[in-house]
Amino acid sequence: ARRQAFGIVTASLLTGMTSAVSPAQAASAKTGAASPFTGDYDDPNHPDCLRQVKVVGAPMRGDGTRSAFPVLEVVGYDGNGSNGKVCTEPPASRADLWKVSGTVKSTNTAVIDFSPKGGPANLAAKFEDGGIVFPDGNKWVKIAPGTTDVSARRPKDMSTLKSSM
């Protein structure tokens, strides 16, 4: 019931958000390091666990065009502590990671599909005050470059996740 209620609230927020976003606004959304979303984050629900967000250009369609809305990719790990929510050590390998994706709707709004890990399919996300805020009040705080050794959150076989951010 809680997840269903959350889905209804999210859908109503999402409906309001997507109806107000035009492709012109999406076109102004930056990709790569220029996007405010791109970077490593601290998730208070999963302390010291990997949360990495990248914004990339939309894939090419069959007709040779691209969507105006960039793709947001999230790679994470939910923990190996006693309650499965705290990371006491990095994931053993890439196989331990999850990946979800979404769409950047404007310079500071996105919609993320968490259904591959059992969450909502169209979760609204907003970048504000140095982090990504979700409708349930959870806020992933962006880690400033050089302030935390984020490589300790990645599996050893994950060299492709290393970033200079």
Side-chain angles (χ1 to χ4, degrees), residues 59-119:
M60 190 72 70
R61 296 181 186 142
D63 65 0
T65 63
R66 293 182 192 271
S67 168
F69 301 100
V71 174
L72 183 139
E73 299 173 342
V74 182
V75 175
Y77 178 61
D78 285 343
N80 51 8
S82 60
N83 64 2
K85 291 188 172 200
V86 177
C87 291
T88 56
E89 57 188 57
S93 72
R94 294 174 188 236
D96 295 322
L97 303 177
W98 51 260
K99 183 177 180 180
V100 297
S101 62
T103 306
V104 177
K105 297 297 184 178
S106 71
T107 55
N108 68 337
T109 60
V111 178
I112 306 172
D113 179 5
F114 278 95
S115 64
K117 60 181 304 283

Side-chain angles (χ1 to χ4, degrees), residues 18-75:
T18 57
S19 64
V21 177
S22 70
Q25 287 174 306
S28 68
K30 306 290 185 202
T31 59
S35 171
F37 286 103
T38 297
D40 289 282
Y41 290 84
D42 280 321
D43 177 355
N45 292 333
H46 298 276
D48 298 320
C49 292
L50 175 67
R51 293 289 184 273
Q52 186 178 64
V53 178
K54 291 184 178 183
V55 178
V56 298
M60 190 72 70
R61 296 181 186 142
D63 65 0
T65 63
R66 293 182 192 271
S67 168
F69 301 100
V71 174
L72 183 139
E73 299 173 342
V74 182
V75 175

Side-chain angles (χ1 to χ4, degrees), residues 6-19 122 124 134-136:
F6 183 69
I8 291 169
V9 169
T10 300
S12 64
L13 287 170
L14 183 60
T15 301
M17 186 175 78
T18 57
S19 64
N122 292 303
F134 297 97
D136 65 355

